[in-house]
Amino acid sequence: MSKVLYTGKTHTTGGREGAARSSDGRLDVKLSSPGSTGAGTNPEQLFAAGWSACFIGAMGLTAGKLNVKLPAGVAVDAEVDLVNDDSGYFLAARLNVSLPGIDRATAQALVDGAHQACPYSKLTRNNIDVQIKLI
């Protein structure tokens, strides 16, 4: 039985050259197309920020299961590409994960577990090209 834990609500106007605001007012951003001179962010940056934050949380859950403590310097550099080819527009992504002080085998187990648990990873699985790399 599923239980909704949280619902994020936003109101967006103007598309890629508009604005988005959350129902609680905590998010209030101007939007601009990637590569434009506009003052706002873009959906690809927002997706990268959300996914990387969620992925770190999923690594924390995995660390708990493995009895490992995540280092204070854990970081994920997310890159989300907006791509266009003959079939149209699509996304591709890379997550570059830094787990300083964690041995490579344990770090890989954390990344693998997080990629299985993270809702954003589940969303993208078999839908877009995703590369995850330990740095």
Side-chain angles (χ1 to χ4, degrees):
M1 185 172 184
S2 297
K3 178 183 176 185
V4 175
L5 301 175
Y6 176 78
T7 301
K9 297 178 184 178
T10 61
H11 179 76
T12 303
T13 58
R16 286 185 173 270
E17 300 298 329
R21 180 176 169 84
S22 63
S23 60
D24 63 7
R26 289 179 161 187
L27 176 73
D28 190 359
V29 296
K30 293 179 183 176
L31 301 169
S32 301
S33 293
S36 75
T37 58
T41 188
N42 59 65
E44 292 73 26
Q45 289 173 331
L46 292 169
F47 185 65
W51 190 1
S52 56
C54 185
F55 199 86
I56 291 171
M59 283 193 295
L61 290 174
T62 302
K65 291 177 184 177
L66 298 176
N67 292 318
V68 174
K69 184 175 176 172
L70 284 183
V74 63
V76 175
D77 294 322
E79 301 172 357
V80 175
D81 301 322
L82 175 62
V83 184
N84 185 3
D85 68 11
D86 292 339
S87 67
Y89 291 97
F90 59 94
L91 299 176
R94 289 165 305 288
L95 300 180
N96 299 299
V97 181
S98 176
L99 290 161
I102 303 284
D103 67 87
R104 186 132 188 109
T106 301
Q108 191 62 57
L110 290 170
V111 166
D112 292 345
H115 193 47
Q116 291 304 309
C118 175
Y120 283 76
S121 291
K122 290 177 182 180
L123 173 74
T124 61
R125 189 169 291 116
N126 300 318
N127 289 314
I128 69 171
D129 179 40
V130 175
Q131 298 172 16
I132 302 177
K133 183 170 106 175
L134 279 169
I135 54 170

